[in-house]
């Protein structure tokens, strides 16, 4: 007869299993803010992004951590992030998280849900939105906003360097499609969004999108939960490199939003 194991034995096994699967989560120390950066083949661009972000966060009054989510990169992204993490020291720790499920939405979701900080959010590796935007963002979150999102189309925003024509046309069509769905939001797709943890978690458990329509669904779930979303006008600069493919990803994004509309009708 196999002897019964006590609950503590089962718990111990579960903790050890979690440590093997997600060691970066169990090692994280408490911080006020976790900044998630989704990365796919960003070995060239990520060093400058991390250095700038560490320097900025180190000068703030709140404690921070950077979480880079490697979304199945086939270049040296992971190795580069580990090296910079060692060099950066403990002032602003850098964690590396893997995500094998394809899609920016999947990577962002993995990064956001892997932490425990009071505030968390994400921005793209191209730093299209100025890092200084985080100062006002944190002030608004501490004052009770559930979400603060950067906007290229809210009153007061400026575009320092615009996207090429194809992406601008696609972006305009996408905004028309989502305007009736996510009411009052001028820009659902700007890659800079930050949240209060409890409000985010309540919305995220309802989300199913993993691609570029992830932002739309997340904002929709927040609105359905009556969470307060603040849209912050910014001076935005289009990155020289983007993983977004206007035709392939554009068609997929449109299809995802239409499916989302049908599901919630």
């Amino acid at each position: 007869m196999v002897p019964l194991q006590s609950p503590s034995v089962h718990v111990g096994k579960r903790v050890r299993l979690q440590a093997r699967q997600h060691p970066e989560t169990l090692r994280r120390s408490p911080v006020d803010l976790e900044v998630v950066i989704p990365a796919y083949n960003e070995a060239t661009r990520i060093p400058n992004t991390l250095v700038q972000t560490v320097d900025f966060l180190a000068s703030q009054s709140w404690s921070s951590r950077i979480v880079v989510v490697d979304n199945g990169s086939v270049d040296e992204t992971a190795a580069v992030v580990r090296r910079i993490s060692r060099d950066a020291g403990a002032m602003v720790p850098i964690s590396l998280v893997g995500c094998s499920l394809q899609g920016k939405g999947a990577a962002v979701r993995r990064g956001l849900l892997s932490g425990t900080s009071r505030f968390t959010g994400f921005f793209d590796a191209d730093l299209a939105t100025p890092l200084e935007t985080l100062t006002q963002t944190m002030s608004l979150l501490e004052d009770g906003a559930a979400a603060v999102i950067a906007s290229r189309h809210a009153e007061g925003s400026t575009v320092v360097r615009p996207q090429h024509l194809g992406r601008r046309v696609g972006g305009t069509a996408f905004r028309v499609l989502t305007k009736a769905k996510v009411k009052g939001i001028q820009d659902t797709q700007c890659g800079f969004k930050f949240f209060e943890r409890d409000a985010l978690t309540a919305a995220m458990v309802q989300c199913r999108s993993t691609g570029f329509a992830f932002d739309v669904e997340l904002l929709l779930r927040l609105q359905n939960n009556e969470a307060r979303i603040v849209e912050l006008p910014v001076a935005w600069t289009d990155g020289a490199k983007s993983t977004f493919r206007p035709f392939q990803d554009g068609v997929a994004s449109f299809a995802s939003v239409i499916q989302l509309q049908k599901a919630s009708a």
Side-chain angles (χ1 to χ4, degrees):
M1 178 179 296
V2 179
L4 295 176
Q5 293 179 320
S6 68
S8 61
V9 173
H10 289 293
V11 171
K13 286 185 176 179
R14 185 165 63 249
V15 170
R16 288 194 296 272
L17 177 61
Q18 290 173 341
R20 288 196 299 270
Q21 292 175 333
H22 309 299
E24 74 293 329
T25 301
L26 298 181
R27 286 200 301 264
R28 294 189 200 174
S29 57
V31 293
D32 300 317
L33 170 70
E34 287 193 330
V35 175
V36 173
I37 304 176
Y40 174 69
N41 291 345
E42 294 284 3
T44 300
R45 186 163 57 180
I46 202 72
N48 182 60
T49 299
L50 291 178
V51 168
Q52 288 190 54
T53 304
V54 166
D55 288 346
F56 175 80
L57 293 175
S59 67
Q60 305 307 308
S61 59
W62 15 271
S63 59
S64 306
R65 173 181 293 103
I66 301 169
V67 180
V68 179
V69 183
D70 182 8
N71 194 199
S73 299
V74 295
D75 65 356
E76 295 298 312
T77 294
V80 169
V81 172
R82 291 190 185 98
R83 174 178 57 79
I84 296 174
S85 176
R86 291 193 297 268
D87 295 343
M91 181 64 74
V92 180
I94 300 172
S95 296
L96 177 66
V97 177
C99 178
S100 58
L101 185 61
Q102 292 185 343
K104 177 185 173 182
V108 169
R109 179 188 182 92
R110 172 76 174 91
L112 294 179
L113 292 181
S114 68
T116 59
S117 57
R118 180 186 175 193
F119 303 115
T120 186
F122 64 93
F123 55 66
D124 294 335
D126 59 5
L127 294 181
T129 300
L131 283 167
E132 291 75 18
T133 309
L134 271 173
T135 303
Q136 188 175 0
T137 296
M138 282 293 285
S139 178
L140 289 165
L141 289 171
E142 289 172 341
D143 284 344
V148 179
I149 64 174
S151 176
R152 300 160 292 184
H153 304 290
E155 184 177 354
S157 63
T158 59
V159 176
V160 179
R161 184 171 63 218
Q163 297 170 318
H164 63 72
L165 181 60
R167 292 195 65 186
R168 293 203 302 273
V169 171
T172 299
F174 195 82
R175 288 199 306 278
V176 171
L177 180 65
T178 59
K179 190 173 183 180
K181 198 67 184 172
V182 187
K183 295 178 173 61
I185 301 298
Q186 302 299 316
D187 188 356
T188 62
Q189 298 309 109
C190 189
F192 182 106
K193 295 179 174 68
F194 284 80
F195 313 90
E196 187 275 327
R197 171 71 63 181
D198 291 340
L200 171 69
T201 302
M204 287 280 282
V205 295
Q206 306 170 60
C207 290
R208 298 294 178 265
S209 301
T210 59
F212 284 93
F214 168 81
D215 302 66
V216 177
E217 184 175 13
L218 178 55
L219 294 175
L220 174 63
R221 302 304 181 191
L222 285 165
Q223 287 190 338
N224 288 346
N225 293 343
E226 299 184 348
R228 183 162 72 92
I229 303 172
V230 178
E231 196 168 13
L232 198 60
V234 294
W236 186 84
T237 303
D238 183 43
K241 171 189 172 186
S242 173
T243 61
F244 186 85
R245 300 162 298 178
F247 181 75
Q248 298 98 316
D249 295 327
V251 170
S253 297
F254 276 101
S256 297
V257 173
I258 291 172
Q259 186 62 38
L260 178 60
Q261 290 175 327
K262 291 179 179 179
S264 58

